[in-house]
Amino acid sequence: MQEDIGTLFLPLAPLFCMTPRSIKKTSAVMDELLKSGPQILRVRPGELVTGTVVFRGKNKLLLDLNGVSTGIVSGRELRDSFHTFRDLKLGDEISALVLEEENDEGMPVLSLRMASQQKAWDKFHKLIAGEGTMKFTPTEANKGGLLANIDGIRTFLPVSQLAPVNYPRVNNSDSTEIISRLQKFIGHTFTVKIITMDEDAGKIVVSEREAMSEERAKSLEHLKIGDVKDGLVSGLVKFGLFVAFDGLEGLVHISEIAWGHVKNPNEFAQVGDRVTVKVIGIDGEKLSLSIKQLTKDPWEEVAERYPVGKKVSGTVVRFTDYGAFLKLEKDLSGLVHLSELAHHKVTDPAEVLTIGQKIDAQVINIDIDERRIGLSVKALKPIDKETMERLKREREEEEAAAKGSKGSEESEETADTAEEPSESEEAKPKKKAAAKAKKGK
């Protein structure tokens, strides 16, 4: 029995009888294993970690974290502005931000989106420090400007910071029209520069104008009066049209669009049209442009083509209180005064003419300096005996009325003079009385 017991417990003896030498040897082995093994990883929320893709599902991603732990990325945390998830393959190494130390399954919860946001902030800081530019693609618009969301960072491009060629110029600042034009830029990619950044609020403000400031400065440096430029119509307003070129923008005033009368700039161009302009004024970044000065002034030869007495044909294009305008040729019109419309008295040109009507007239006056041509319709119309007598009678009545008016004015002046004694007549009796008083003394 004793031998059985001895035999039973002998194999266990080494476990309880380890010598100091054997313990030291085991400890050294453990230290070696710990050194050669992977580091123990403890993740904390807000930290950036690097992992290797070991599983890629439709809406889930598993990352091996240094062989110690496996992190999970899912849902909206997979999507970032760099489209990282779309291009990932098994074995790829990526960075992710820790959201939670572990979920119910004991796995660290990670985010590609937040990691990209951190990268974006780092990128923004570098862009500001280096005065660099970036790409901006808006996803929505309001009357104040264009907006986008870059990994949770609200990015805003104000209307005032759009480049001249993209600025929505509208009459009367119509907010509905402004929004309509801005919505056309949704999905369009702009080159912009960061002008303000608020990391605590999670937003930045960008500017297309500032991104083009260097180009604009170079263009202004080389621009001079008289230069001819090809550009795009960037805006239409009541007083003219705006044209953008080489990062600059100038105004073609309504008086510089064409040599003739321009009622509405919309009749000559639309936004986006290509036009050629001449620089006629430079005041800082304010440019004055002209379209008409690129063509010959029709008035230079108008005196030769329209001498006084010449019969001409024209189209009635406009009425005024004092007459009607006839279009004689492109950019050239003449005025038929009310008194020259007919042999009888006319108070409204619409009584005898209609817009669009083609009529003949005679040149009766021409003023090159004032750019005016005086026309007469009645000069080409014969006068019958009855009309002649009526005109003669009207003229005599007018002369008589004028003469009568003048006579009555003279009579009134004479009466006034008679009623008011002269100063010398009033003084005579006074002088006599004074003389008698002196003599009596």
Side-chain angles (χ1 to χ4, degrees):
M1 185 71 176
Q2 288 181 349
E3 290 179 2
D4 292 338
I5 293 173
T7 304
L8 179 63
F9 287 99
L10 277 175
L12 298 177
L15 294 174
F16 299 99
C17 302
M18 293 178 70
T19 63
R21 184 177 179 183
S22 63
I23 292 173
K24 187 175 181 180
K25 186 176 180 181
T26 301
S27 178
V29 172
M30 290 294 293
D31 289 343
E32 190 64 32
L33 288 172
L34 288 171
K35 286 180 182 179
S36 61
Q39 269 191 330
I40 296 174
L41 183 69
R42 293 191 63 181
V43 296
R44 293 179 177 82
E47 286 183 345
L48 272 177
V49 295
T50 301
T52 304
V53 178
V54 292
F55 174 81
R56 184 185 186 283
K58 185 178 180 180
N59 204 34
K60 184 168 73 172
L61 192 68
L62 297 182
L63 302 181
D64 174 53
L65 305 178
N66 207 25
V68 175
S69 180
T70 300
I72 182 171
V73 188
S74 60
R76 72 177 190 136
E77 302 305 328
L78 289 165
R79 274 73 187 178
D80 62 9
S81 61
F82 300 99
H83 305 294
T84 305
F85 180 65
R86 182 185 64 188
D87 303 323
L88 277 179
K89 301 182 297 294
L90 292 178
D92 286 350
E93 193 173 84
I94 57 168
S95 296
L97 189 85
V98 179
L99 297 181
E100 299 177 35
E101 286 189 27
E102 60 179 39
N103 59 10
D104 295 339
E105 299 173 352
M107 303 171 72
V109 179
L110 312 174
S111 170
L112 298 184
R113 182 178 66 86
M114 296 299 289
S116 292
Q117 186 180 102
Q118 187 59 53
K119 289 179 186 176
W121 283 121
D122 293 341
K123 176 186 174 183
F124 295 158
H125 280 290
K126 289 177 182 177
L127 286 174
I128 290 175
E131 297 187 353
T133 60
M134 59 182 270
K135 298 298 180 184
F136 169 80
T137 305
T139 56
E140 57 182 297
N142 59 36
K143 67 179 181 180
L146 299 164
L147 303 102
N149 193 306
I150 303 176
D151 298 317
I153 301 171
R154 195 73 165 165
T155 308
F156 180 53
L157 172 57
V159 172
S160 61
Q161 294 301 321
L162 285 167
V165 71
N166 294 323
Y167 188 85
R169 297 189 181 279
V170 299
N171 287 316
N172 304 319
S173 300
D174 187 340
S175 59
T176 303
E177 180 63 21
I178 290 174
I179 293 175
S180 175
R181 293 196 186 183
L182 289 177
Q183 284 175 338
K184 295 177 182 177
F185 291 124
I186 292 176
H188 174 77
T189 300
F190 296 85
T191 297
V192 298
K193 194 172 186 178
I194 299 171
I195 53 175
T196 60
M197 182 170 75
D198 188 341
E199 199 165 344
D200 292 333
K203 62 182 181 180
I204 62 172
V205 179
V206 297
S207 168
E208 187 186 22
R209 282 184 63 87
E210 286 300 314
M212 298 179 67
S213 60
E214 188 174 341
E215 177 190 352
R216 196 164 59 250
K218 287 181 180 177
S219 297
L220 274 173
E221 185 180 346
H222 296 97
L223 192 69
K224 58 185 182 297
I225 292 175
D227 284 354
V228 176
K229 296 288 184 178
D230 290 325
L232 288 175
V233 176
S234 55
L236 289 169
V237 288
K238 292 178 181 178
F239 52 85
L241 53 89
F242 288 89
V243 177
F245 60 91
D246 300 340
L248 305 173
E249 185 181 55
L251 171 67
V252 181
H253 191 267
I254 193 168
S255 62
E256 289 295 330
I257 293 176
W259 289 108
H261 176 77
V262 178
K263 186 177 182 181
N264 189 345
N266 282 292
E267 298 172 359
F268 289 83
Q270 296 297 318
V271 173
D273 285 355
R274 288 194 169 276
V275 294
T276 302
V277 296
K278 181 180 179 180
V279 180
I280 59 173
I282 302 175
D283 183 8
E285 290 193 10
K286 185 180 178 181
L287 306 178
S288 298
L289 310 173
S290 175
I291 293 176
K292 76 177 187 181
Q293 291 190 29
L294 294 173
T295 60
K296 191 174 182 180
D297 183 354
W299 284 89
E300 292 178 7
E301 300 175 353
V302 76
E304 297 176 9
R305 297 200 307 276
Y306 296 94
V308 173
K310 181 179 179 179
K311 179 183 176 181
V312 297
S313 295
T315 304
V316 180
V317 291
R318 187 161 59 101
F319 290 150
T320 66
D321 293 338
Y322 48 84
F325 281 92
L326 303 187
K327 183 178 180 181
L328 303 175
E329 57 183 79
K330 184 181 179 182
D331 299 333
L332 185 63
S333 298
L335 171 66
V336 183
H337 192 269
L338 286 173
S339 61
E340 295 297 331
L341 286 170
H343 291 299
H344 61 276
K345 188 175 181 180
V346 178
T347 57
D348 184 350
E351 294 174 10
V352 293
L353 299 174
T354 57
I355 298 295
Q357 180 182 350
K358 293 183 181 298
I359 59 170
D360 293 332
Q362 186 180 76
V363 178
I364 58 172
N365 177 277
I366 185 162
D367 188 332
I368 300 298
D369 294 333
E370 294 295 326
R371 298 176 180 273
R372 293 175 183 169
I373 296 179
L375 303 174
S376 174
V377 173
K378 76 178 185 181
L380 298 178
K381 293 182 178 181
I383 304 177
D384 54 32
K385 187 177 179 180
E386 185 181 343
T387 303
M388 281 286 288
E389 291 177 355
R390 179 174 55 79
L391 291 173
K392 184 180 179 181
R393 189 167 56 252
E394 288 177 356
R395 186 163 58 250
E396 289 174 349
E397 288 175 355
E398 288 176 359
E399 289 175 355
K403 190 175 181 180
S405 175
K406 185 177 180 182
S408 63
E409 289 176 1
E410 290 176 351
S411 299
E412 288 177 5
E413 288 177 3
T414 303
D416 291 341
T417 305
E419 289 173 3
E420 296 178 7
S422 64
E423 185 180 346
S424 58
E425 289 175 343
E426 289 179 343
K428 283 179 181 179
K430 291 180 180 179
K431 286 181 179 179
K432 287 181 179 180
K436 286 182 179 180
K438 190 177 181 181
K439 191 175 179 180
K441 287 181 181 179

